[in-house]
Amino acid sequence: MSKYIIEGGKKAQGEIVINGAKNSALPILSASVLCNKCVIHNCPGLTDVKAALNILEHLGSKYKIEGNTVILDNSNIVNNNIPDDLMREMRSSIVFMGAVISRCKGAEISYPGGCELGPRPIDMHISAMKKFGVSIEEKGGYLECKVKDKLKGCVINLPFPSVGATENAMIAAVNADGNTTIYNSAREPEILDLADFLNKCGAEISIDKTGTIYIEGVKKLCGEAEHTVISDRVEAATFLCAAAVTKGEIMLKKARAEHLTSVLPIFEEMGCFVKSSSEGIYIKGTENLKAPKLIRTMPYPGFPTDMQSPLMSAAAVSDGTSVFVENIFESRYKHVAELTRMGANIKTEGKVAIVTGVPHLHGAVTRCTDLRGGAAICIAALNAEGITQVNEISHIERGYENFDGKLKALGLEIKRER
Ligand code: UD1
């Protein structure tokens, strides 16, 4: 199994280009099932993207990859079943449900996999599909989804603004008979990107200021579409943390400040200098990193749960005490045990973590616990005295393209070993 060897103590300096967003690319690839020919630019080279392409291939798609562009031919979708081994590759595989049911008038899929962040039920996805008139039966670990004739437009009130359930409902509504309204939908930038992609395919989706999504069902999509995925705000935030813990100075090209409105002020609170422009985001660290007082993860536009763990690594080496409250996932503090091995002072109880900053962490043998937790351990290692071995980096490669290469480009010491 591959690992990173990181030597801490160097300053991050220079510039890198932020990739396309994983959390946009994945639902867009699922939604592409509705459109025969699609060209998706700025698609990040990730194992999760490969897993989505494997599902598409199984369904009958043909694809070509040219750099960060994926060219899809979905004119011959022949299967409506997604086997267990493909579904388990990632949580996001569940977003194929709406697309496959719509295109094939039914689907047979198993439960999705993904990071272990506590129980990750799919009840909201299932009840949304039922609203469209889909009958769903569980048989031997598979969900058998059937539609009598056509999906029927409906009104969906989500009990929580689930990102995945909003995406599934939006995709299913595109070709449904009649209009669909989704209340209390997720409002993440990736939701808007998905709507943008579907509209380019010929869908009729509009979103009002409150985030309510209105979809007029159309009989057919235009059959050809080209789209560029937005840049990855989680990747950008991770590198902002790298600059903060190394007292560095970096430019993140293509990073979009308007997607980070609840995040950038935290870096300023910590004493970093942040400047955003149409080119990207520039950050200059400080010799005296101050602890951010309170971080509460919330649905967008609140502080994102995906940035909680990398930011915790920065808080762990700040001056003062921070309180983190994780409101989205039940078990998203698995990285804490690894940071503690490196000398961090963190106490958790339920959804709360109290982080008391220490002057320096020290190198240790660690393992990635999940995707963002793994990135957090690497951020901590960049600050630590000595060498840190980070095992099980396949988690990181699910969501960061060329993570080690980008850190190296910033002058940091990281080696990938088998
Ligand atoms: C997406 C993101 C993930 C991010 C998360 C929250 C992708 C590919 N992944 O995941 O990076 O951390 O949003 O911003 O976009 N829930 C239920 N029942 C359901 C669905 C969700 O109880 O049917 C719960 C989940 O367990 C979790 C919360 O709702 O506690 C939020 O989940 P959701 O917004 O659906 O996250 P994902 O779409 O899985």
Side-chain angles (χ1 to χ4, degrees):
M1 244 188 260
S2 302
K3 55 181 176 267
Y4 290 145
I5 306 293
I6 299 175
E7 190 182 340
K10 298 269 189 311
K11 268 184 198 252
Q13 261 163 350
E15 62 178 46
I16 52 169
V17 180
I18 297 301
N19 276 114
K22 166 179 97 74
N23 290 353
S24 261
L26 296 177
I28 286 172
L29 288 171
S30 307
S32 79
V33 165
L34 302 181
C35 187
N36 280 346
K37 302 231 161 132
C38 305
V39 179
I40 322 276
H41 302 292
N42 205 26
C43 199
L46 308 169
T47 49
D48 268 11
V49 166
K50 184 72 180 73
L53 291 171
N54 288 343
I55 292 178
L56 281 167
E57 197 167 43
H58 172 83
L59 296 172
S61 301
K62 293 205 166 54
Y63 69 86
K64 261 197 316 201
I65 300 178
E66 289 175 3
N68 282 109
T69 295
V70 178
I71 301 154
L72 286 155
D73 180 351
N74 294 332
S75 36
N76 199 24
I77 298 276
V78 283
N79 283 323
N80 74 352
N81 73 307
I82 307 178
D84 192 55
D85 55 328
L86 293 179
M87 283 298 286
R88 276 182 196 274
E89 288 287 307
M90 56 171 180
R91 163 82 179 173
S92 197
S93 53
I94 192 64
V95 179
F96 275 95
M97 180 156 80
V100 175
I101 293 176
S102 172
R103 170 110 192 206
C104 307
K105 314 285 167 255
E108 198 183 305
I109 57 176
S110 79
Y111 282 87
C115 285
E116 287 299 328
L117 306 175
R120 294 180 80 175
I122 54 168
D123 53 313
M124 286 186 243
H125 298 255
I126 291 178
S127 61
M129 290 305 124
K130 287 185 174 167
K131 288 262 170 160
F132 287 101
V134 182
S135 70
I136 302 183
E137 253 186 89
E138 195 185 330
K139 279 193 186 153
Y142 275 80
L143 297 167
E144 253 188 39
C145 313
K146 289 185 186 151
V147 191
K148 261 209 182 112
D149 179 22
K150 257 198 114 184
L151 293 174
K152 289 188 178 53
C154 56
V155 173
I156 295 171
N157 289 292
L158 289 172
F160 179 86
S162 153
V163 173
T166 302
E167 292 164 347
N168 243 332
M170 207 156 98
I171 295 168
V174 163
N175 286 137
D177 214 1
N179 297 344
T180 297
T181 307
I182 311 171
Y183 291 109
N184 199 28
S185 59
R187 298 161 67 180
E188 271 66 4
E190 294 78 16
I191 299 284
L192 301 186
D193 203 27
L194 175 62
D196 193 19
F197 166 72
L198 283 167
N199 283 341
K200 284 176 185 165
C201 296
E204 292 287 346
I205 303 174
S206 58
I207 304 180
D208 74 12
K209 281 198 183 115
T210 66
T212 302
I213 304 179
Y214 304 92
I215 304 135
E216 251 178 69
V218 293
K219 283 213 166 66
K220 241 184 140 193
L221 295 183
C222 52
E224 273 185 41
E226 191 162 350
H227 181 74
T228 301
V229 173
I230 56 168
S231 90
D232 195 318
R233 61 198 169 102
V234 188
E235 188 195 20
T238 306
F239 283 99
L240 291 174
C241 292
V245 300
T246 63
K247 307 175 181 31
E249 181 179 2
I250 63 175
M251 175 72 193
L252 302 174
K253 287 191 140 183
K254 290 197 183 170
R256 289 177 62 172
E258 72 270 28
H259 296 162
L260 290 159
T261 50
S262 62
V263 177
L264 298 182
I266 308 275
F267 287 91
E268 287 171 336
E269 182 191 348
M270 293 169 88
C272 300
F273 174 76
V274 180
K275 192 165 188 293
S276 49
S277 65
S278 56
E279 218 189 322
I281 301 175
Y282 163 87
I283 181 168
K284 188 172 191 312
T286 165
E287 287 302 317
N288 179 23
L289 201 60
K290 289 193 281 289
K293 287 200 174 56
L294 176 63
I295 307 294
R296 300 172 74 232
T297 66
M298 303 285 273
Y300 191 86
F303 188 88
T305 173
D306 286 356
M307 299 177 200
Q308 173 258 108
S309 42
L311 188 73
M312 191 177 284
S313 296
V317 294
S318 300
D319 185 15
T321 299
S322 307
V323 176
F324 283 71
V325 186
E326 173 54 62
N327 290 308
I328 308 292
F329 287 108
E330 262 178 48
S331 309
R332 210 161 195 183
Y333 286 143
K334 290 195 172 149
H335 52 282
V336 167
E338 303 301 307
L339 296 182
T340 306
R341 271 172 174 251
M342 300 173 74
N345 181 353
I346 306 172
K347 301 277 174 287
T348 60
E349 180 150 348
K351 49 159 78 171
V352 177
I354 311 283
V355 184
T356 307
V358 295
H360 264 294
L361 299 172
H362 53 75
V365 176
T366 62
R367 56 173 277 270
C368 296
T369 48
D370 57 86
L371 163 57
R372 306 302 172 189
I377 294 160
C378 295
I379 298 298
L382 296 173
N383 169 278
E385 280 168 355
I387 307 273
T388 301
Q389 179 175 324
V390 187
N391 293 324
E392 298 177 43
I393 59 169
S394 56
H395 286 290
I396 295 178
E397 291 172 346
R398 286 188 36 223
Y400 293 89
E401 180 181 321
N402 190 23
F403 190 57
D404 52 326
K406 287 188 173 178
L407 290 172
K408 262 194 226 152
L410 295 173
L412 300 164
E413 278 300 323
I414 177 167
K415 263 193 311 203
R416 187 181 191 281
E417 285 184 0
R418 288 200 149 263

